Amino acid sequence: MNSKSESSAVNSSTNVDSTTKLNYDIPPMIQRSMEAFRRDLPGLLQMKRLDGQWVAYHGDCQIGFAKTKTPLYQQCLERGLKIDEFIVMCVMPDLPDESDPEELMDL
């Protein structure tokens, strides 16, 4: 066997296009929730009592605030919302426009 042709076959089958990006859709309700959070954030930041608090959104609806995110997740899930229908975010200065949705899941 020709080792050069074997090597080429292996390289071409395992070569990954470096320009390929992960392609995933953000659920519509998450997108709406993020837009509402970004819209409301300047006003939330003006309320000093909310600094560092967590807020939950379901679409345009602000669900509530808490000192930690856990009670907000519980409240949303108890309302029957699915995990892809709401967000829980910390009230802090704005995130960059180009946020990685994977990073948002760790907040």
Side-chain angles (χ1 to χ4, degrees), residues 32-104:
R32 283 184 54 203
S33 300
M34 283 300 301
E35 289 168 3
F37 173 71
R38 286 183 181 274
R39 177 197 66 221
D40 293 351
L41 186 59
L44 298 175
L45 289 171
Q46 290 180 2
M47 296 182 231
K48 294 297 179 195
R49 66 181 174 80
L50 297 179
D51 189 32
Q53 294 275 318
W54 293 83
V55 62
Y57 279 87
H58 170 65
D60 292 325
C61 179
Q62 192 179 86
I63 303 292
F65 296 91
K67 290 183 180 184
T68 64
K69 58 186 172 180
T70 302
L72 293 171
Y73 275 99
Q74 291 171 336
Q75 184 178 356
C76 290
L77 295 171
E78 286 171 0
R79 287 183 178 203
L81 299 177
K82 296 177 184 168
I83 198 73
D84 65 348
E85 295 178 334
F86 67 93
I87 62 167
V88 176
M89 300 293 291
C90 188
V91 178
M92 60 183 192
D94 199 9
L95 299 170
D97 287 337
E98 293 295 321
S99 296
D100 180 0
E102 294 289 326
E103 291 177 17
L104 295 176

